[in-house]
Amino acid sequence: MKKSRKILAAIFAVAAAACLTAAVVLIIWQVNDTIRTSRNTEEVQASANAPEMTDPPALPDPPEDSSEASSEASVPEVSPDPPEVPPDPTPEPVENPYRDSFLANSDMAAWLQIADTKIDYPVMWTPEDEEYYLRRGFDGSANRNGCLILDTDSSLEPLTTNLIIHGHNMKSGAMFGTLMNYKDEAYWQEHKTIALYTKECLRNYEVIAVFYTQVYKKTDQVFKFYKFFQADTTEEFDDFYQNIKDLSLYDTGVTAEFGDHFLTLSTCAYHVENGRFVVVAKEVENGETYLPIQN
């Protein structure tokens, strides 16, 4: 009986110790939890009260190597080249090479020249009497060769679309006595350009067509080159242009369009009655500009 009581007492003692231990552990856990909660609360408050952080200031660039900086500093700056001034497209006026001839006779409208040929003559213009120089020389005296004559309906000022110059076909080769050489293509190959020296400037022309034709009756409904002076419309221009190209003895390869100007040289031919041999040239880039002609 005493032994049983001792055992029960021991069991009660162990149970009491276990309960005491459990109670101590629970108390310790509660204390630690309280401490953790308090610390978290302080950290949150501290974070809320802390000033907002800004981006860190930019660090200065590291110093350049002194030798490299010195080298760059010693190179002088090169100024850019000044812009090129385009040349003045208008040539400086020069003295007219035929100044004395213009002064000698006010009827002279221009000087016609085809290089390396006999055609190197003054061109006369007398609107009041187109045939005045037909049998007169430059000085007005009688001369069977006559002069080269600018057609009355042609004009240099203002410039008409077509300038027609008439000249005798002299057996001696004078005036337009050699113009018919253009019937041979080989001759044209050597004499493609024509120069017309006016008071104001040198006008250059390139041969575009060469053909035989004639002076027709007024009632004949055919192409009459000698009636064309001014093209105010594309249709008028094209009619002349297409006809001279169709009549041409050979293809010069030179083309024209509305707005271009022509020089037409005409002389007598004997293939038909009132026959004519005609050379038409198209104006190309002008040459020199001349100073005003004064005494």
Short mmCIF file of all heavy atoms in Angstrom, two decimals, residues 7-60:
data_model
loop_
_atom_site.label_atom_id
_atom_site.label_comp_id
_atom_site.label_asym_id
_atom_site.label_seq_id
_atom_site.Cartn_x
_atom_site.Cartn_y
_atom_site.Cartn_z
N ILE A 7 4.40 5.40 -5.76
CA ILE A 7 4.39 5.43 -7.23
C ILE A 7 3.48 6.55 -7.69
O ILE A 7 3.80 7.34 -8.61
CB ILE A 7 3.92 4.10 -7.79
CG1 ILE A 7 4.99 3.02 -7.52
CG2 ILE A 7 3.67 4.19 -9.32
CD1 ILE A 7 4.55 1.60 -7.87
N LEU A 8 2.31 6.67 -7.10
CA LEU A 8 1.38 7.71 -7.50
C LEU A 8 1.95 9.08 -7.23
O LEU A 8 1.80 10.01 -8.03
CB LEU A 8 0.04 7.57 -6.74
CG LEU A 8 -0.82 6.38 -7.17
CD1 LEU A 8 -2.00 6.23 -6.20
CD2 LEU A 8 -1.29 6.56 -8.58
N ALA A 9 2.63 9.19 -6.11
CA ALA A 9 3.25 10.47 -5.78
C ALA A 9 4.28 10.84 -6.82
O ALA A 9 4.41 11.99 -7.24
CB ALA A 9 3.84 10.40 -4.38
N ALA A 10 5.03 9.81 -7.27
CA ALA A 10 6.07 10.07 -8.28
C ALA A 10 5.45 10.51 -9.60
O ALA A 10 5.91 11.41 -10.28
CB ALA A 10 6.92 8.80 -8.49
N ILE A 11 4.32 9.82 -9.94
CA ILE A 11 3.64 10.16 -11.21
C ILE A 11 3.14 11.59 -11.16
O ILE A 11 3.27 12.38 -12.09
CB ILE A 11 2.49 9.18 -11.47
CG1 ILE A 11 3.06 7.79 -11.81
CG2 ILE A 11 1.61 9.66 -12.63
CD1 ILE A 11 2.01 6.67 -11.88
N PHE A 12 2.50 11.92 -9.99
CA PHE A 12 2.01 13.28 -9.83
C PHE A 12 3.14 14.30 -9.90
O PHE A 12 3.00 15.38 -10.47
CB PHE A 12 1.25 13.45 -8.52
CG PHE A 12 -0.15 12.85 -8.57
CD1 PHE A 12 -0.58 11.92 -7.60
CD2 PHE A 12 -1.02 13.23 -9.56
CE1 PHE A 12 -1.85 11.38 -7.63
CE2 PHE A 12 -2.31 12.68 -9.59
CZ PHE A 12 -2.73 11.76 -8.66
N ALA A 13 4.27 13.94 -9.36
CA ALA A 13 5.41 14.87 -9.37
C ALA A 13 5.91 15.10 -10.78
O ALA A 13 6.22 16.23 -11.20
CB ALA A 13 6.53 14.30 -8.49
N VAL A 14 5.95 13.98 -11.57
CA VAL A 14 6.42 14.11 -12.97
C VAL A 14 5.43 14.95 -13.78
O VAL A 14 5.80 15.83 -14.55
CB VAL A 14 6.58 12.72 -13.61
CG1 VAL A 14 6.86 12.83 -15.11
CG2 VAL A 14 7.71 11.97 -12.93
N ALA A 15 4.14 14.66 -13.54
CA ALA A 15 3.13 15.41 -14.29
C ALA A 15 3.16 16.88 -13.93
O ALA A 15 3.03 17.74 -14.81
CB ALA A 15 1.73 14.82 -13.99
N ALA A 16 3.38 17.15 -12.67
CA ALA A 16 3.45 18.55 -12.26
C ALA A 16 4.65 19.25 -12.88
O ALA A 16 4.58 20.40 -13.34
CB ALA A 16 3.50 18.63 -10.72
N ALA A 17 5.75 18.51 -12.92
CA ALA A 17 6.97 19.09 -13.54
C ALA A 17 6.75 19.37 -15.00
O ALA A 17 7.18 20.40 -15.56
CB ALA A 17 8.16 18.14 -13.33
N ALA A 18 6.05 18.43 -15.69
CA ALA A 18 5.79 18.62 -17.14
C ALA A 18 4.90 19.82 -17.37
O ALA A 18 5.11 20.62 -18.30
CB ALA A 18 5.16 17.36 -17.74
N CYS A 19 3.88 19.93 -16.52
CA CYS A 19 2.98 21.08 -16.69
C CYS A 19 3.72 22.37 -16.45
O CYS A 19 3.50 23.37 -17.16
CB CYS A 19 1.81 20.95 -15.71
SG CYS A 19 0.66 19.63 -16.15
N LEU A 20 4.59 22.34 -15.41
CA LEU A 20 5.37 23.55 -15.13
C LEU A 20 6.27 23.92 -16.29
O LEU A 20 6.39 25.08 -16.70
CB LEU A 20 6.17 23.35 -13.85
CG LEU A 20 7.02 24.54 -13.40
CD1 LEU A 20 6.12 25.75 -13.12
CD2 LEU A 20 7.82 24.18 -12.12
N THR A 21 6.89 22.89 -16.89
CA THR A 21 7.81 23.13 -18.03
C THR A 21 7.06 23.72 -19.21
O THR A 21 7.49 24.66 -19.89
CB THR A 21 8.49 21.82 -18.45
OG1 THR A 21 9.22 21.31 -17.33
CG2 THR A 21 9.42 22.02 -19.62
N ALA A 22 5.86 23.12 -19.48
CA ALA A 22 5.05 23.60 -20.59
C ALA A 22 4.63 25.05 -20.38
O ALA A 22 4.62 25.87 -21.30
CB ALA A 22 3.83 22.71 -20.79
N ALA A 23 4.28 25.36 -19.11
CA ALA A 23 3.87 26.72 -18.82
C ALA A 23 5.02 27.69 -19.02
O ALA A 23 4.86 28.80 -19.57
CB ALA A 23 3.34 26.79 -17.38
N VAL A 24 6.22 27.27 -18.64
CA VAL A 24 7.40 28.14 -18.80
C VAL A 24 7.68 28.38 -20.29
O VAL A 24 7.96 29.49 -20.73
CB VAL A 24 8.61 27.51 -18.09
CG1 VAL A 24 9.87 28.28 -18.43
CG2 VAL A 24 8.39 27.48 -16.58
N VAL A 25 7.61 27.27 -21.06
CA VAL A 25 7.87 27.39 -22.52
C VAL A 25 6.87 28.33 -23.17
O VAL A 25 7.20 29.17 -24.02
CB VAL A 25 7.82 26.00 -23.18
CG1 VAL A 25 7.86 26.12 -24.71
CG2 VAL A 25 8.97 25.15 -22.69
N LEU A 26 5.58 28.20 -22.77
CA LEU A 26 4.55 29.06 -23.34
C LEU A 26 4.80 30.51 -23.01
O LEU A 26 4.65 31.40 -23.86
CB LEU A 26 3.17 28.61 -22.82
CG LEU A 26 1.97 29.43 -23.31
CD1 LEU A 26 1.87 29.38 -24.83
CD2 LEU A 26 0.69 28.90 -22.66
N ILE A 27 5.20 30.73 -21.73
CA ILE A 27 5.48 32.12 -21.33
C ILE A 27 6.63 32.69 -22.14
O ILE A 27 6.59 33.83 -22.62
CB ILE A 27 5.78 32.17 -19.81
CG1 ILE A 27 4.49 31.83 -19.01
CG2 ILE A 27 6.32 33.53 -19.39
CD1 ILE A 27 4.73 31.63 -17.51
N ILE A 28 7.71 31.88 -22.29
CA ILE A 28 8.90 32.36 -23.07
C ILE A 28 8.52 32.68 -24.53
O ILE A 28 8.92 33.68 -25.11
CB ILE A 28 10.01 31.31 -23.01
CG1 ILE A 28 10.53 31.20 -21.56
CG2 ILE A 28 11.13 31.65 -23.97
CD1 ILE A 28 11.52 30.05 -21.35
N TRP A 29 7.67 31.81 -25.14
CA TRP A 29 7.28 32.03 -26.57
C TRP A 29 6.49 33.32 -26.71
O TRP A 29 6.69 34.08 -27.63
CB TRP A 29 6.42 30.82 -27.00
CG TRP A 29 6.00 30.93 -28.44
CD1 TRP A 29 6.66 30.55 -29.53
CD2 TRP A 29 4.76 31.50 -28.87
NE1 TRP A 29 5.97 30.81 -30.66
CE2 TRP A 29 4.75 31.42 -30.28
CE3 TRP A 29 3.65 32.05 -28.20
CZ2 TRP A 29 3.69 31.86 -31.03
CZ3 TRP A 29 2.61 32.49 -28.98
CH2 TRP A 29 2.63 32.39 -30.38
N GLN A 30 5.57 33.55 -25.72
CA GLN A 30 4.78 34.77 -25.75
C GLN A 30 5.64 36.01 -25.60
O GLN A 30 5.43 37.02 -26.28
CB GLN A 30 3.71 34.73 -24.64
CG GLN A 30 2.60 33.70 -24.93
CD GLN A 30 1.57 33.65 -23.79
OE1 GLN A 30 1.85 34.10 -22.66
NE2 GLN A 30 0.40 33.09 -24.08
N VAL A 31 6.63 35.92 -24.70
CA VAL A 31 7.52 37.07 -24.51
C VAL A 31 8.28 37.36 -25.79
O VAL A 31 8.41 38.51 -26.26
CB VAL A 31 8.49 36.81 -23.35
CG1 VAL A 31 9.56 37.90 -23.30
CG2 VAL A 31 7.72 36.75 -22.03
N ASN A 32 8.84 36.32 -26.45
CA ASN A 32 9.61 36.51 -27.70
C ASN A 32 8.74 37.08 -28.81
O ASN A 32 9.15 37.92 -29.61
CB ASN A 32 10.22 35.19 -28.15
CG ASN A 32 11.38 34.76 -27.26
OD1 ASN A 32 11.99 35.61 -26.59
ND2 ASN A 32 11.69 33.46 -27.23
N ASP A 33 7.47 36.58 -28.87
CA ASP A 33 6.56 37.08 -29.91
C ASP A 33 6.26 38.55 -29.70
O ASP A 33 6.19 39.33 -30.67
CB ASP A 33 5.26 36.26 -29.87
CG ASP A 33 4.32 36.67 -30.98
OD1 ASP A 33 4.68 36.52 -32.17
OD2 ASP A 33 3.24 37.18 -30.65
N THR A 34 6.10 38.91 -28.42
CA THR A 34 5.84 40.32 -28.11
C THR A 34 7.03 41.18 -28.52
O THR A 34 6.88 42.28 -29.09
CB THR A 34 5.56 40.50 -26.59
OG1 THR A 34 4.42 39.69 -26.26
CG2 THR A 34 5.30 41.95 -26.27
N ILE A 35 8.23 40.68 -28.26
CA ILE A 35 9.45 41.43 -28.62
C ILE A 35 9.55 41.60 -30.13
O ILE A 35 9.84 42.67 -30.67
CB ILE A 35 10.70 40.73 -28.05
CG1 ILE A 35 10.68 40.80 -26.54
CG2 ILE A 35 11.97 41.36 -28.63
CD1 ILE A 35 11.76 39.97 -25.87
N ARG A 36 9.25 40.54 -30.91
CA ARG A 36 9.34 40.62 -32.38
C ARG A 36 8.33 41.60 -32.94
O ARG A 36 8.60 42.39 -33.83
CB ARG A 36 9.10 39.22 -33.00
CG ARG A 36 10.30 38.28 -32.86
CD ARG A 36 10.13 37.09 -33.79
NE ARG A 36 8.91 36.32 -33.49
CZ ARG A 36 8.85 35.31 -32.61
NH1 ARG A 36 9.94 34.97 -31.94
NH2 ARG A 36 7.72 34.68 -32.41
N THR A 37 7.10 41.54 -32.41
CA THR A 37 6.06 42.45 -32.88
C THR A 37 6.44 43.89 -32.63
O THR A 37 6.25 44.78 -33.47
CB THR A 37 4.74 42.14 -32.17
OG1 THR A 37 4.39 40.77 -32.44
CG2 THR A 37 3.62 43.06 -32.65
N SER A 38 7.03 44.13 -31.45
CA SER A 38 7.45 45.50 -31.10
C SER A 38 8.53 45.99 -32.04
O SER A 38 8.52 47.12 -32.51
CB SER A 38 7.93 45.52 -29.64
OG SER A 38 8.39 46.81 -29.31
N ARG A 39 9.49 45.09 -32.40
CA ARG A 39 10.59 45.49 -33.28
C ARG A 39 10.06 45.81 -34.69
O ARG A 39 10.48 46.77 -35.34
CB ARG A 39 11.64 44.38 -33.34
CG ARG A 39 12.48 44.29 -32.06
CD ARG A 39 13.48 43.16 -32.18
NE ARG A 39 14.33 43.09 -30.99
CZ ARG A 39 15.25 42.12 -30.78
NH1 ARG A 39 15.40 41.17 -31.69
NH2 ARG A 39 15.97 42.12 -29.66
N ASN A 40 9.15 44.98 -35.20
CA ASN A 40 8.60 45.22 -36.54
C ASN A 40 7.86 46.54 -36.61
O ASN A 40 7.93 47.28 -37.59
CB ASN A 40 7.64 44.08 -36.93
CG ASN A 40 8.40 42.78 -37.19
OD1 ASN A 40 9.59 42.81 -37.45
ND2 ASN A 40 7.69 41.65 -37.10
N THR A 41 7.11 46.83 -35.52
CA THR A 41 6.37 48.09 -35.48
C THR A 41 7.31 49.27 -35.51
O THR A 41 7.10 50.26 -36.22
CB THR A 41 5.50 48.14 -34.22
OG1 THR A 41 4.58 47.02 -34.25
CG2 THR A 41 4.70 49.44 -34.18
N GLU A 42 8.44 49.17 -34.76
CA GLU A 42 9.41 50.26 -34.74
C GLU A 42 10.07 50.45 -36.11
O GLU A 42 10.31 51.57 -36.58
CB GLU A 42 10.49 49.97 -33.69
CG GLU A 42 9.96 50.05 -32.26
CD GLU A 42 11.03 49.65 -31.24
OE1 GLU A 42 12.13 49.27 -31.70
OE2 GLU A 42 10.77 49.76 -30.05
N GLU A 43 10.35 49.32 -36.80
CA GLU A 43 10.99 49.41 -38.12
C GLU A 43 10.06 50.08 -39.14
O GLU A 43 10.46 50.90 -39.95
CB GLU A 43 11.38 48.03 -38.62
CG GLU A 43 12.56 47.41 -37.83
CD GLU A 43 12.86 46.00 -38.31
OE1 GLU A 43 12.13 45.53 -39.22
OE2 GLU A 43 13.81 45.40 -37.81
N VAL A 44 8.74 49.72 -39.07
CA VAL A 44 7.78 50.33 -39.99
C VAL A 44 7.66 51.82 -39.75
O VAL A 44 7.65 52.63 -40.68
CB VAL A 44 6.40 49.64 -39.85
CG1 VAL A 44 5.34 50.42 -40.63
CG2 VAL A 44 6.47 48.21 -40.34
N GLN A 45 7.60 52.21 -38.48
CA GLN A 45 7.52 53.63 -38.15
C GLN A 45 8.77 54.37 -38.59
O GLN A 45 8.72 55.48 -39.11
CB GLN A 45 7.28 53.81 -36.65
CG GLN A 45 5.90 53.33 -36.19
CD GLN A 45 5.72 53.45 -34.68
OE1 GLN A 45 6.70 53.66 -33.95
NE2 GLN A 45 4.47 53.31 -34.23
N ALA A 46 9.91 53.72 -38.35
CA ALA A 46 11.17 54.36 -38.75
C ALA A 46 11.23 54.54 -40.26
O ALA A 46 11.69 55.55 -40.78
CB ALA A 46 12.35 53.52 -38.25
N SER A 47 10.74 53.52 -40.99
CA SER A 47 10.74 53.62 -42.46
C SER A 47 9.81 54.72 -42.94
O SER A 47 10.11 55.45 -43.86
CB SER A 47 10.32 52.29 -43.07
OG SER A 47 10.21 52.40 -44.45
N ALA A 48 8.66 54.86 -42.29
CA ALA A 48 7.71 55.89 -42.69
C ALA A 48 8.23 57.28 -42.41
O ALA A 48 7.94 58.22 -43.13
CB ALA A 48 6.38 55.67 -41.97
N ASN A 49 9.00 57.44 -41.36
CA ASN A 49 9.50 58.76 -40.98
C ASN A 49 10.82 59.12 -41.66
O ASN A 49 11.26 60.25 -41.60
CB ASN A 49 9.69 58.84 -39.45
CG ASN A 49 8.35 58.70 -38.71
OD1 ASN A 49 7.32 59.11 -39.25
ND2 ASN A 49 8.36 58.12 -37.52
N ALA A 50 11.45 58.12 -42.33
CA ALA A 50 12.75 58.39 -42.94
C ALA A 50 12.57 59.27 -44.17
O ALA A 50 11.61 59.13 -44.92
CB ALA A 50 13.41 57.07 -43.36
N PRO A 51 13.50 60.24 -44.43
CA PRO A 51 13.40 61.11 -45.62
C PRO A 51 13.56 60.30 -46.89
O PRO A 51 14.28 59.32 -46.92
CB PRO A 51 14.54 62.11 -45.42
CG PRO A 51 15.52 61.41 -44.55
CD PRO A 51 14.71 60.53 -43.63
N GLU A 52 12.85 60.77 -48.02
CA GLU A 52 12.91 60.07 -49.31
C GLU A 52 14.30 60.22 -49.90
O GLU A 52 14.86 61.31 -49.98
CB GLU A 52 11.87 60.65 -50.26
CG GLU A 52 11.81 59.93 -51.58
CD GLU A 52 10.76 60.50 -52.49
OE1 GLU A 52 10.03 61.40 -52.02
OE2 GLU A 52 10.69 60.07 -53.66
N MET A 53 14.88 59.15 -50.41
CA MET A 53 16.22 59.16 -50.98
C MET A 53 16.14 59.63 -52.43
O MET A 53 15.23 59.26 -53.16
CB MET A 53 16.83 57.75 -50.92
CG MET A 53 17.11 57.25 -49.50
SD MET A 53 18.34 58.26 -48.64
CE MET A 53 19.77 57.87 -49.58
N THR A 54 17.03 60.47 -52.86
CA THR A 54 17.13 60.92 -54.26
C THR A 54 18.22 60.14 -54.95
O THR A 54 19.01 59.45 -54.31
CB THR A 54 17.44 62.42 -54.31
OG1 THR A 54 18.66 62.66 -53.62
CG2 THR A 54 16.33 63.22 -53.63
N ASP A 55 18.25 60.29 -56.33
CA ASP A 55 19.30 59.60 -57.08
C ASP A 55 20.65 60.12 -56.65
O ASP A 55 20.83 61.31 -56.36
CB ASP A 55 19.12 59.85 -58.58
CG ASP A 55 17.86 59.17 -59.08
OD1 ASP A 55 17.44 58.20 -58.43
OD2 ASP A 55 17.32 59.63 -60.11
N PRO A 56 21.63 59.25 -56.64
CA PRO A 56 22.96 59.71 -56.24
C PRO A 56 23.49 60.72 -57.24
O PRO A 56 23.20 60.64 -58.42
CB PRO A 56 23.78 58.41 -56.24
CG PRO A 56 23.07 57.50 -57.18
CD PRO A 56 21.61 57.84 -57.00
N PRO A 57 24.22 61.73 -56.80
CA PRO A 57 24.76 62.73 -57.74
C PRO A 57 25.69 62.10 -58.74
O PRO A 57 26.37 61.12 -58.44
CB PRO A 57 25.50 63.70 -56.80
CG PRO A 57 25.84 62.88 -55.60
CD PRO A 57 24.71 61.91 -55.42
N ALA A 58 25.66 62.67 -59.98
CA ALA A 58 26.52 62.13 -61.03
C ALA A 58 27.97 62.39 -60.68
O ALA A 58 28.35 63.47 -60.26
CB ALA A 58 26.18 62.80 -62.36
N LEU A 59 28.76 61.35 -60.87
CA LEU A 59 30.18 61.48 -60.57
C LEU A 59 30.87 62.22 -61.71
O LEU A 59 30.52 62.05 -62.88
CB LEU A 59 30.80 60.09 -60.40
CG LEU A 59 30.25 59.26 -59.22
CD1 LEU A 59 30.90 57.89 -59.22
CD2 LEU A 59 30.54 59.98 -57.90
N PRO A 60 31.82 63.05 -61.42
CA PRO A 60 32.54 63.75 -62.51
C PRO A 60 33.32 62.77 -63.34
O PRO A 60 33.74 61.71 -62.87
CB PRO A 60 33.45 64.72 -61.73
CG PRO A 60 33.64 64.08 -60.40
CD PRO A 60 32.35 63.37 -60.08
#
